[in-house]
Amino acid sequence: MSDTDLDEHAIGILKANDRGGYTVPTARLYPFQWNWDSAFAALGFAAFDRDRAWGELDKLFQGQWADGMVPHIIFWSPSTDYFPGPDVWASGTEPPTSGISQPPVAASIVAELVSTGDDSDLERASRLYPKLLASHRWFHTHRDPENRGVIAVVHPWESGRDNCPDWDPAMDTIAVAPDLETYQRRDTEHIGADQRPSTAQYDRYLTILTFGRNQGWDQQEIIRAGPFLVGDPGIHFILLRADRDLLGLAKRFGSGDDEREIGGWIARAEQAADGLWNEEAGGFTARDLRSGVFSSGLASVSPLSLYAGAGSPGQRERIANETRRIIERVRFALPSWDPDHPAFEQRRYWRGPVWLIMNYMIARGFREAGSPDVADRIADDALRLVRQSGFFEYYCPMTGEGLGGGDFTWTAAVWLALRGPEIAQGMS
Ligand code: GLC
């Protein structure tokens, strides 16, 4: 298939996954609206239908809670294809949702749509701005409870990197609730179990979920006594980048007070990044905020510090060197986990495979940090994976095999975003 055929195919995937105002990540495996998937879907729609791009974001923020949280799943309509569904989460909200959030990429994507758009994009962005501000305030209030500046997640699912080895040390300390209700996974009915999280991990995911539900999703209680509280460099850096982009929006649409508040978040997060620096591993890694224990290896979120504009010159150099070492070890960059670490599994979800949304952000960071060679390699590998295997959820970094769900929304969206200028030429 030629690249222009693949453009058409990507557009077809976004249209086919549209459920009327929101887009599912893929049919059956993920039959609802997911938070950061939708933000990336908007980026993809923007390549051919800007009104639909804004509609996707508007719909996502219709699920926002009164306290500002944008939930990780919004259950707009029922489906038996997915577990755990709305009854298990019991959010008590309308629409029903999950009780945790996901990486806040929305403000960065809004800023992107504004910078490439016209007055009507500005108008749509101005309407979303107060909601974006509230969602960032929620993260700085409820995911940095001690004002240390390090952003935490209270569930591996909140990180968007469900079974990454980053969470292993904290997950190993969790005792499965003895009264955990029996449940039936649906994901392994759609996808081979060797490409998905293990049963032991699922038991713990549900133990953490049940704790939150039993607290009526009282965030203070979840932070105080919940089973899982881990500083996440992924969310930390994505939020820092998004705060900078939000500050740009605040200058257009917000007040002086907004600008000062956001400026304070940025300064604190820049400083606090050191709390996630793991000298032994050679990068920014996850860290259990209760025990102080670091994760023992490098995930693909360490270079997101460049995307966030954080880190000292020495840290940046080390990250560039480690990334180059990792690239040497694979055919397709960038694996979600270090191939030289014993926990690496090349086909299992976030324990090794390549995810194109990560490539999009990481390549951008390297480009902005003045390493175009690394940026080009990571962006090109994203395109090469699609040319070889089509639009999968994730890919084996060694063979390029497409894994997980097929006809995947955010993969199609990243293809369109990376191909952007060519598509515009093709259409003119
Ligand atoms: C998986 C991914 C998560 C994504 C969701 C829907 O749970 O780990 O990041 O949002 O699927 O695609």
Side-chain angles (χ1 to χ4, degrees):
M1 234 192 246
S2 71
D3 281 0
T4 24
D5 289 341
L6 287 166
D7 296 340
E8 284 309 316
H9 196 116
I11 290 171
I13 289 173
L14 291 184
K15 289 184 177 166
N17 288 342
D18 187 345
R19 294 290 177 274
Y22 71 94
T23 311
V24 296
T26 185
R28 311 227 29 228
L29 181 63
Y30 303 121
F32 309 109
Q33 184 173 26
W34 259 259
N35 178 331
W36 67 329
D37 297 70
S38 264
F40 281 107
L43 190 66
F45 277 120
F48 64 98
D49 184 346
R50 296 190 81 87
D51 183 54
R52 183 62 189 75
W54 287 108
E56 185 78 24
L57 291 164
D58 290 342
K59 189 84 176 171
L60 174 64
F61 279 84
Q62 280 171 31
Q64 185 169 33
W65 284 17
D67 66 1
M69 182 180 83
V70 182
H72 103 289
I73 309 175
I74 307 176
F75 301 108
W76 289 112
S77 63
S79 169
T80 52
D81 277 330
Y82 182 82
F83 176 87
D87 299 349
V88 182
W89 287 96
S91 66
T93 55
E94 191 47 54
T97 71
S98 69
I100 55 174
S101 194
Q102 251 191 342
V105 289
S108 298
I109 284 163
V110 167
E112 183 71 16
L113 297 195
V114 164
S115 77
T116 55
D118 57 23
D119 283 355
S120 75
D121 296 280
L122 272 181
E123 201 270 320
R124 303 290 295 259
S126 74
R127 279 194 259 153
L128 267 178
Y129 167 75
K131 299 179 180 189
L132 291 166
L133 179 64
S135 72
H136 284 218
R137 192 177 285 137
W138 178 87
F139 263 107
H140 289 287
T141 309
H142 294 293
R143 292 298 180 258
D144 175 21
E146 289 170 13
N147 258 334
R148 288 195 275 188
V150 170
I151 306 297
V153 288
V154 301
H155 193 300
W157 288 342
E158 194 161 66
S159 74
R161 302 180 294 122
D162 309 12
N163 69 337
C164 183
D166 264 349
W167 320 122
D168 289 359
M171 288 284 269
D172 287 346
T173 66
I174 297 176
V176 175
D179 54 348
L180 192 67
E181 294 138 43
T182 51
Y183 64 93
Q184 192 177 357
R185 286 175 67 170
R186 305 305 309 270
D187 58 325
T188 41
E189 292 169 17
H190 307 302
I191 304 293
D194 63 331
Q195 299 171 36
R196 297 285 308 176
S198 66
T199 308
Q201 281 160 342
Y202 248 79
D203 285 350
R204 285 167 181 80
Y205 297 149
L206 289 165
T207 298
I208 308 171
L209 189 168
T210 307
F211 180 90
R213 185 185 64 210
N214 290 345
Q215 309 312 314
W217 300 108
D218 173 343
Q219 298 297 334
Q220 265 171 325
E221 203 45 30
I222 291 171
I223 292 287
R224 195 189 64 76
F228 190 92
L229 185 70
V230 183
D232 174 12
I235 293 234
H236 186 90
F237 292 129
I238 286 171
L239 181 62
L240 174 51
R241 169 66 182 241
D243 278 337
R244 292 190 201 282
D245 291 326
L246 186 67
L247 183 58
L249 299 174
K251 289 186 173 140
R252 289 178 186 271
F253 312 123
S255 67
D257 280 351
D258 293 356
E259 287 181 43
R260 274 184 291 282
E261 183 178 13
I262 299 165
W265 296 336
I266 292 172
R268 201 166 61 207
E270 283 174 344
Q271 258 190 350
D274 267 344
L276 295 174
W277 179 257
N278 181 337
E279 184 61 31
E280 212 177 310
F284 293 101
T285 70
R287 185 178 197 182
D288 191 313
L289 290 190
R290 298 219 176 86
S291 65
V293 171
F294 277 112
S295 147
S296 63
L298 291 178
S300 59
V301 293
S302 178
L304 286 182
S305 53
L306 306 175
Y307 170 78
S312 68
Q315 288 168 337
R316 286 162 172 253
E317 198 186 322
R318 182 93 193 264
I319 286 170
N321 290 340
E322 294 293 345
T323 305
R324 289 194 170 95
R325 169 184 62 75
I326 289 171
I327 288 176
E328 288 291 301
R329 293 276 289 104
V330 296
R331 268 182 64 210
F332 297 93
L334 193 67
S336 46
W337 187 252
D338 186 345
D340 288 328
H341 186 282
F344 176 75
E345 291 180 73
Q346 65 193 54
R347 300 174 81 246
R348 198 188 285 277
Y349 218 38
W350 288 96
R351 301 178 82 84
V354 182
W355 295 70
L356 263 48
I357 44 145
M358 299 302 298
N359 281 35
Y360 173 82
M361 293 185 285
I362 297 164
R364 201 166 178 138
F366 275 111
R367 200 170 309 285
E368 290 170 359
S371 302
D373 56 323
V374 185
D376 285 346
R377 170 72 198 264
I378 291 172
D380 287 349
D381 280 7
L383 298 176
R384 286 203 300 134
L385 281 166
V386 170
R387 288 185 194 118
Q388 179 187 306
S389 302
F391 295 93
F392 276 83
E393 185 178 8
Y394 46 95
Y395 302 85
C396 174
M398 302 307 186
T399 63
E401 178 191 0
L403 299 166
D407 286 351
F408 215 85
T409 293
W410 67 14
T411 305
V414 168
W415 168 271
L416 292 170
L418 290 175
R419 290 263 306 145
E422 273 101 312
I423 293 173
Q425 276 164 23
M427 285 177 173
S428 61

